[in-house]
Amino acid sequence: MTSRITHTFGARLRRSLNLSTAMVAVAVMSASGVAMAQEAAPVAQTLSEAVDDQVQEVVVVGTRSSLQSAMNRKKRAGTVSDSIVAEDIGQFPDKNVGEALGRVTGVQLSRDMGEGSAVSIRGVEPDLNRIEINGMSVLSTAGNLNVYGGGGRSNDFRELPSEMVKSIDVFKGFTADMTEGGIGGTVSVQTRKPLDFKKPTFSITASAQNLDTMDGWKPRTSLFGATQLFDGKLGLMGSLNFDKVVTRGDYYDDHSWARLADFDNSDEKTVSYFNQTYGNEVSDYISGFQTEASCASIAAVGTLTAAQARTACETQWYDYQPRVPRYRVWTRDDNRSSGEFTAQYKFNDQMDAFVTYQKNKRTQVLNDINYGTDFTTLDRLNNTSTINANPALNGCGTRIVAANAGAVPGVVVDENHNVTEFVVGDCLGTTGRGGNNAFSVSSRDFQYEFELGIRLLRFQLQW
């Protein structure tokens, strides 16, 4: 528990005040007997009120015990380790256990929609680290953005409320008594036990969070109780937690990039030509041309005709553009509930046993909305009046090719020869050209439910 320092100093204060009264009386008497007679009553009354109103108790609450416990754990460990200890209910440094682990040196936190989910130790990915709760290895069945509904050897710390945790030890090395399996390290989580408390304890925690990009406040509640029976030999403890988290992630997504034309008409090459199919000799010959205009004089080389060699030469000035640019919005509605009941019995000062049952339930709904267009061909830039408009082509202008793409308005290229903006053409009469079927909206929903029950019976012997 948090260190408490209580001092009752009423008697000491009274003695000090009495001494001060006597000193004041002597001083007044030496000055004037009349003044003493006139002022003695008010001074005595004031001092009497000060004694009646004095503070009877001073309580100092701090985190020194918690910090000292963490330092002692590190000092006693047989290998490199760091610890986080919470002495009071609800006083864990973060709502999320993973977020708290991110404070430890050498531990990197993986985030999912802004929430800390899994940890890497010394740069080793989460799946190669070992997680244990009260000495029992645990795995994760939580889904993520890459594997929907999939699990792994890593643990999702969002499933474990911080109110249930007493301490976390991160071991970056190994000792003979540790269970093998953690290449990067081992994270050992210890939950609270009923006999850890010196007296009956009850705690209620309620909070809410609001995300700027979502509407409404979402609740988080925790109920905790612990008591001791039979002169402190039997301890009972229970806790219930509920957390509703609604998050949103906005992303820009490009599935692939291509180089279809030289949009910026720059004298600088985008890349130097190389094609392993034709070998170094052909590639070196083509890359030796330093201006796009000089490619017109290229001769046939290797198996390439003069026309093919010219096209290959000109591609060195082609700019990069995304084929399928998309704006994606991910929303997640996550409901998490957990409960734990623990009974602990102390046989003597050296031996005790406890039995615990913990259940975690999580229901998550993910929605993925995609707003996109495609830029897989230059036809997407066709306008009704683009370069020599041709009414015979259903109102579309001349087809855009690499030779005339540099004259198309609305294409913005940065200094690194990447297309950052383009305007879809207003040609609508021909399939696949201009704005014809240029835009799309798609939505996908994923839902999964997760339940985890842990039953544990353990005897502990200390000597």
Side-chain angles (χ1 to χ4, degrees), residues 89 202-206 221-225:
I89 303 298
F202 183 76
S203 172
I204 297 178
T205 303
T221 58
S222 173
L223 178 64
F224 178 89

Side-chain angles (χ1 to χ4, degrees), residues 259-270 292-293 314-321 378 401-408 411 413 417 419:
R259 292 189 299 117
L260 300 180
D262 179 15
F263 297 103
D264 60 1
N265 299 308
S266 171
D267 293 334
E268 182 184 30
K269 288 184 178 181
T270 302
E292 188 172 3
E314 291 174 346
T315 60
Q316 297 177 101
W317 284 265
Y318 287 5
D319 302 305
Y320 283 100
Q321 103 277 336
L378 295 174
V401 294
N404 57 23
V408 177
V411 180
V413 183
H417 307 287
V419 174

Side-chain angles (χ1 to χ4, degrees), residues 30-43:
S30 63
S32 172
V34 177
M36 179 189 73
Q38 293 176 346
E39 298 177 3
V43 170

Side-chain angles (χ1 to χ4, degrees), residues 370-384:
N370 295 267
Y371 305 91
T373 184
D374 74 272
F375 195 0
T376 55
T377 69
L378 295 174
D379 286 333
R380 192 55 67 195
L381 302 177
N382 267 136
N383 286 300
T384 55

Side-chain angles (χ1 to χ4, degrees), residues 42-217:
V43 170
Q45 182 180 359
T46 302
L47 294 173
S48 177
E49 292 175 355
V51 172
D52 293 338
D53 296 338
Q54 67 180 315
V55 178
Q56 297 296 326
E57 186 179 69
V58 175
V59 178
V60 180
V61 180
T63 58
R64 180 177 180 180
S65 178
S66 176
L67 297 175
Q68 187 65 46
S69 176
M71 289 188 292
N72 288 338
R73 285 169 174 262
K74 186 170 183 176
K75 186 183 298 182
R76 293 193 303 265
T79 184
V80 180
S81 69
D82 284 286
S83 302
I84 302 176
V85 179
E87 293 296 326
D88 266 348
I89 303 298
Q91 295 302 311
F92 212 72
D94 293 278
K95 178 189 76 171
N96 188 311
V97 175
E99 298 279 355
L101 282 171
R103 301 170 180 264
V104 177
T105 303
V107 175
Q108 298 80 41
L109 182 63
S110 299
R111 295 184 179 275
D112 181 10
M113 290 193 174
E115 283 192 299
S117 56
V119 295
S120 301
I121 301 177
R122 299 186 302 178
V124 178
E125 63 177 283
D127 280 345
L128 299 180
N129 299 312
R130 180 174 173 271
I131 311 298
E132 65 177 29
I133 300 178
N134 293 327
M136 176 183 293
S137 297
V138 294
L139 305 177
S140 175
T141 58
N144 54 64
L145 294 177
N146 297 317
V147 185
Y148 304 102
R153 296 181 66 243
S154 65
N155 181 68
D156 192 338
F157 287 102
R158 292 173 297 184
E159 300 164 3
L160 185 64
S162 60
E163 289 83 0
M164 299 171 62
V165 177
K166 176 183 178 182
S167 65
I168 300 179
D169 297 296
V170 180
F171 298 98
K172 305 170 189 176
F174 304 93
T175 58
D177 60 337
M178 294 175 60
T179 303
E180 70 280 356
I183 297 177
T186 299
V187 177
S188 177
V189 180
Q190 295 292 326
T191 58
R192 299 182 183 277
K193 303 295 184 296
L195 296 182
D196 292 340
F197 303 90
K198 303 302 181 184
K199 59 183 180 180
T201 303
F202 183 76
S203 172
I204 297 178
T205 303
S207 61
Q209 69 174 11
N210 180 29
L211 191 65
D212 291 341
T213 55
M214 303 295 290
D215 296 328
W217 291 83

